[in-house]
C-alpha cells in the first residue's frame, strides 16, 4: 500500500534520542493544522449566532464537542502511527467497494461543505476590509490556489509555522475584543453547565448540531491520521511508536484547547453584544458593525476592533484553505488511489464549491443574511456526515490486526466513541424530522 501523503511522510526530522521538551517541540505542528478546522468561518457563524440568540447556553455544547474532538483526534493519531495508514486507506481496507465509494462520496461532500464556509468567510472579510462586492470576493477565492502553491513549496514545517502565526493572531484578537465587551462572567461560567433546553428547543438544537458539525469536522479525522506520519520516528519499534503517539496526542490536545478557547470567545462576544436584541443579529456583518460603532474603546478603538475582526476572519478562511487541500488529497489518494497535482485538486474542489455560493448570490443578490444562512447549513451537513467517519475510525482502532495488540482502543474509549456515534445519529434524525415538519 502506498504511503499516505508520500511527499511529506517521514520527511520532518524527529530525534528519538533527544530530551522530552525538545521532542515535544519537534512534534508540535500537526495538531495546529488539525485545530484550524475547529476555528474556521463555519465555527464563527454558528458560535456567534448561538450567542446572539441563546446567550451563553451553548457554551456547554462547545465544551462537550471539544472534549469529544480531543478523544477522536487522539484515536486518529494512534491509527496513523500504529497502522501506518490514514483513515481513508483503512476504511477502504475494511470495506467492500460499494461501501468504500459511498464513504468517499460523503467525505468529499463534507470537504466541499467546509470549502463553502471558507469561501463565504473569505469573501465577507474582503468585503468588510476593502468593500469588494461579494461576487468578486467569491471569484477571488477561486485563485487562492496560487497562494497555496507558493506556501506548499516552502516545506511542511514552514506551513505549520505560518498556520501557527495565523491561529495565534485570531486568538489574541478575540481575547482583546472580549475583554472590552465586558461580558457577565458569572453567566459565562453557568453557560458551561448542561441545559434541557438544548434537547427540547428545535432552534437551539439546530444551532447546537451546527456547532458540533463545525467543531468535530469529518475531514479533520482523515487529515490528522495522515499528517502525524510526517515525523521521522522509528516505524518498526513498538516503544518508539508509543512515544510518537504520546507526543502527537499532547500536540493535539494543546492545539484543540486553543481552538476551544477561540470558539468560546466568539460565542461570548456574540452573546455580550447581541443577546436580547433579536434573533436576526449575531452574523458577521452585525458583529463588524457593532464593533465599529462600539464606544467601549472610543471612536478610534471601534474602527480598530472592527478591522481586527475582519482580518481575523480572513486569516481563518485562508488557514482552512491550506488544510482543506491536504484533506482532499488524502481522501482521494486513500479511497481511490488516484494522485493528481495539488493545484488541480484544489482548483477542482473550489470550482465545485463556489457553485452554490454563486447560486445563492444570484437568487438573493448580495444578501448577507441568505449567504450566512448557507454557511450555517453547511455546518449542520457536516454534523450529519460525521457518523460516517467516526464509525470506521472506531472499528479500525479496535481491530488488533490493523493496530497491533499494544495500540487497540481501551474499553472506555470504545464505549465513549460508540455512545457519541449513537447520540449524534439520534439527534441528526430528530433534526431531519423537525426540519421536514417545518416544510409540510
Amino acid at each position: 500500500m502506498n504511503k499516505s501523503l508520500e511527499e511529506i511522510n517521514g520527511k520532518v526530522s524527529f530525534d528519538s534520542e533527544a530530551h522530552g521538551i525538545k521532542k515535544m517541540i519537534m512534534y508540535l505542528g500537526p495538531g495546529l493544522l488539525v485545530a484550524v478546522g475547529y476555528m474556521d468561518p463555519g465555527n464563527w457563524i454558528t458560535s456567534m449566532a448561538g450567542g446572539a440568540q441563546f446567550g451563553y447556553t451553548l457554551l456547554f455544547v462547545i465544551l462537550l464537542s471539544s472534549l469529544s474532538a480531543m478523544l477522536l483526534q487522539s484515536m486518529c493519531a494512534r491509527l496513523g502511527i500504529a497502522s501506518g495508514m490514514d483513515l481513508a486507506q483503512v476504511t477502504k481496507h475494511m470495506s467492500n467497494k460499494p461501501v468504500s465509494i459511498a464513504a468517499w462520496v460523503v467525505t468529499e461532500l463534507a470537504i466541499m461543505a467546509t470549502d463553502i464556509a471558507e469561501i463565504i468567510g473569505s469573501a465577507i472579510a474582503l468585503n468588510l476590509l476593502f468593500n469588494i462586492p461579494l461576487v468578486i470576493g467569491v471569484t477571488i477565492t477561486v485563485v487562492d490556489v496560487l497562494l497555496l502553491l507558493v506556501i506548499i513549496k516552502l516545506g511542511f514545517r514552514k506551513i505549520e509555522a505560518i498556520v501557527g502565526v495565523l491561529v495565534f493572531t485570531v486568538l489574541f484578537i478575540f481575547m482583546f475584543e472580549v475583554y472590552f465587551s465586558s461580558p457577565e462572567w458569572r453567566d459565562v461560567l453557568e453557560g458551561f453547565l448542561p441545559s434541557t433546553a438544548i434537547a427540547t428547543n428545535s432552534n437551539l438544537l439546530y444551532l447546537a448540531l451546527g456547532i458540533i458539525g463545525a467543531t468535530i469536522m469529518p475531514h479533520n479525522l482523515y487529515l490528522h491520521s495522515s499528517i502525524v506520519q510526517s515525523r521521522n520516528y522509528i516505524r518498526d519499534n513498538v516503544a518508539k511508536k508509543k512515544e510518537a503517539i504520546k507526543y502527537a496526542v499532547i500536540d493535539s490536545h494543546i492545539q484543540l484547547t486553543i481552538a476551544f478557547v477561540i470558539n468560546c470567545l466568539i460565542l461570548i462576544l456574540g452573546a455580550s453584544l447581541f443577546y436580547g436584541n433579536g434573533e436576526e443579529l449575531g452574523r458577521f456583518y452585525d458583529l463588524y458593525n457593532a464593533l465599529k460603532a462600539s464606544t467601549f474603546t472610543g471612536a478610534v478603538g471601534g474602527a480598530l476592533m472592527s478591522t481586527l475582526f475582519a482580518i481575523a476572519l480572513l486569516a481563518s478562511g485562508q488557514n482552512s484553505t491550506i488544510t482543506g487541500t491536504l484533506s482532499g488529497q488524502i481522501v482521494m489518494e486513500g479511497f481511490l488511489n488516484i494522485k493528481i497535482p495539488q493545484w488541480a485538486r484544489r482548483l477542482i474542489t473550489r470550482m465545485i464549491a463556489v457553485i452554490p455560493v454563486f447560486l445563492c448570490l444570484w437568487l438573493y443578490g448580495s444578501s448577507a443574511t441568505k449567504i450566512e444562512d448557507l454557511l450555517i447549513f453547511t455546518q449542520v451537513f457536516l454534523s450529519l456526515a460525521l457518523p460516517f467517519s467516526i464509525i470506521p475510525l472506531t472499528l479500525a482502532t479496535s481491530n488488533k490486526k490493523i493496530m497491533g495488540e499494544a495500540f487497540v482502543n481501551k474499553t472506555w474509549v470504545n464505549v465513549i466513541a460508540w455512545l457519541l456515534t449513537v447520540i449524534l445519529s439520534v439527534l441528526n434524525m430528530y433534526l431531519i424530522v423537525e426540519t421536514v415538519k417545518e416544510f409540510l
Side-chain angles (χ1 to χ4, degrees):
M1 182 177 289
N2 293 329
K3 290 182 179 179
S4 179
L5 283 184
E6 194 165 2
E7 62 271 24
I8 66 168
N9 195 302
K11 299 296 192 296
V12 179
S13 62
F14 178 74
D15 184 2
S16 60
E17 302 304 320
H19 59 76
I21 295 177
K22 188 175 181 180
K23 285 180 185 176
M24 185 68 256
I25 293 172
M26 285 189 288
Y27 222 104
L28 288 175
L32 265 174
L33 269 66
V34 171
V36 161
Y38 292 85
M39 56 183 96
D40 74 339
N43 292 81
W44 289 37
I45 196 69
T46 51
S47 295
M48 283 193 298
Q53 295 180 33
F54 304 106
Y56 305 109
T57 303
L58 288 169
L59 283 172
F60 171 73
V61 175
I62 294 178
L63 173 62
L64 201 60
S65 298
S66 297
L67 292 174
S68 300
M70 288 180 182
L71 174 67
L72 293 172
Q73 297 298 165
S74 68
M75 290 166 63
C76 290
R78 200 151 28 86
L79 172 66
I81 294 171
S83 71
M85 294 187 284
D86 60 53
L87 182 57
Q89 291 173 326
V90 83
T91 302
K92 181 181 179 181
H93 173 72
M94 295 189 302
S95 310
N96 56 35
K97 191 171 183 179
V99 172
S100 179
I101 292 176
W104 170 69
V105 170
V106 171
T107 307
E108 288 285 7
L109 290 173
I111 291 173
M112 288 176 190
T114 305
D115 216 31
I116 290 172
E118 295 158 10
I119 292 167
I120 294 173
S122 296
I124 289 175
L126 291 171
N127 180 248
L128 294 174
L129 287 169
F130 308 110
N131 202 29
I132 296 173
L134 288 174
V135 172
I136 297 176
V138 171
T139 305
I140 290 172
T141 65
V142 175
V143 298
D144 72 356
V145 64
L146 301 176
L147 174 63
L148 181 67
L149 284 174
V150 173
I151 293 174
I152 287 175
K153 287 183 181 295
L154 295 175
F156 195 70
R157 193 64 168 154
K158 289 186 175 63
I159 291 175
E160 293 172 344
I162 291 169
V163 168
V165 170
L166 292 175
V167 166
F168 280 97
T169 297
V170 174
L171 173 64
F172 290 133
I173 286 174
F174 277 109
M175 288 176 66
F176 177 74
E177 297 196 337
V178 167
Y179 173 77
F180 282 105
S181 70
S182 302
E184 294 291 335
W185 289 108
R186 181 174 179 177
D187 293 340
V188 170
L189 293 176
E190 289 179 354
F192 290 107
L193 300 176
S195 169
T196 55
I198 295 172
T200 57
N201 184 322
S202 60
N203 291 328
L204 188 56
L205 177 60
Y206 183 78
L207 270 177
L209 283 173
I211 289 174
I212 293 169
T215 304
I216 312 172
M217 305 185 77
H219 77 277
N220 262 343
L221 304 180
Y222 295 90
L223 175 68
H224 201 186
S225 61
S226 176
I227 60 176
V228 289
Q229 300 178 55
S230 62
R231 270 47 183 179
N232 189 25
Y233 53 86
I234 298 173
R235 259 66 171 170
D236 56 359
N237 183 290
V238 171
K240 297 300 183 183
K241 279 186 176 183
K242 285 185 175 181
E243 180 183 65
I245 290 171
K246 179 181 76 171
Y247 289 116
V249 171
I250 292 172
D251 171 44
S252 175
H253 286 355
I254 290 172
Q255 316 305 349
L256 290 180
T257 299
I258 294 171
F260 164 71
V261 171
I262 289 174
N263 287 324
C264 288
L265 291 173
I266 294 170
L267 187 142
I268 291 167
L269 188 61
S272 61
L273 291 180
F274 299 115
Y275 182 52
N277 295 326
E279 290 192 358
E280 295 303 314
L281 298 176
R283 307 300 180 91
F284 291 134
Y285 286 97
D286 296 323
L287 189 52
Y288 177 84
N289 292 328
L291 290 170
K292 192 171 184 178
S294 62
T295 58
F296 43 72
T297 56
V300 175
L304 175 63
M305 296 267 282
S306 59
T307 301
L308 287 175
F309 167 76
I311 290 172
L313 180 58
L314 185 61
S316 175
Q318 293 309 303
N319 249 348
S320 300
T321 291
I322 296 171
T323 58
T325 299
L326 291 173
S327 301
Q329 185 179 348
I330 292 162
V331 166
M332 182 170 282
E333 290 181 6
F335 279 114
L336 305 181
N337 199 27
I338 295 176
K339 291 181 180 288
I340 62 174
Q342 287 179 324
W343 66 266
R345 165 74 209 191
R346 183 74 207 137
L347 194 58
I348 292 169
T349 303
R350 182 54 58 97
M351 290 297 290
I352 295 173
V354 297
I355 292 173
V357 183
F358 277 130
L359 185 61
C360 183
L361 291 172
W362 178 66
L363 289 173
Y364 300 105
S366 296
S367 170
T369 301
K370 293 299 182 182
I371 200 168
E372 290 177 340
D373 282 343
L374 174 61
L375 201 159
I376 292 177
F377 173 77
T378 64
Q379 303 310 296
V380 175
F381 174 80
L382 289 174
S383 183
L384 296 174
L386 190 55
F388 292 92
S389 300
I390 298 178
I391 290 172
L393 173 64
T394 307
L395 289 172
T397 50
S398 306
N399 191 318
K400 293 180 182 179
K401 291 183 180 179
I402 293 172
M403 299 292 290
E405 186 78 35
F407 301 104
V408 291
N409 289 339
K410 291 180 170 58
T411 303
W412 68 268
V413 173
N414 279 331
V415 170
I416 294 176
W418 284 118
L419 187 62
L420 181 61
T421 304
V422 171
I423 291 173
L424 270 177
S425 300
V426 170
L427 288 175
N428 286 338
M429 286 188 287
Y430 173 77
L431 177 66
I432 291 169
V433 170
E434 291 299 313
T435 303
V436 170
K437 284 181 180 179
E438 289 183 11
F439 286 97
L440 295 179

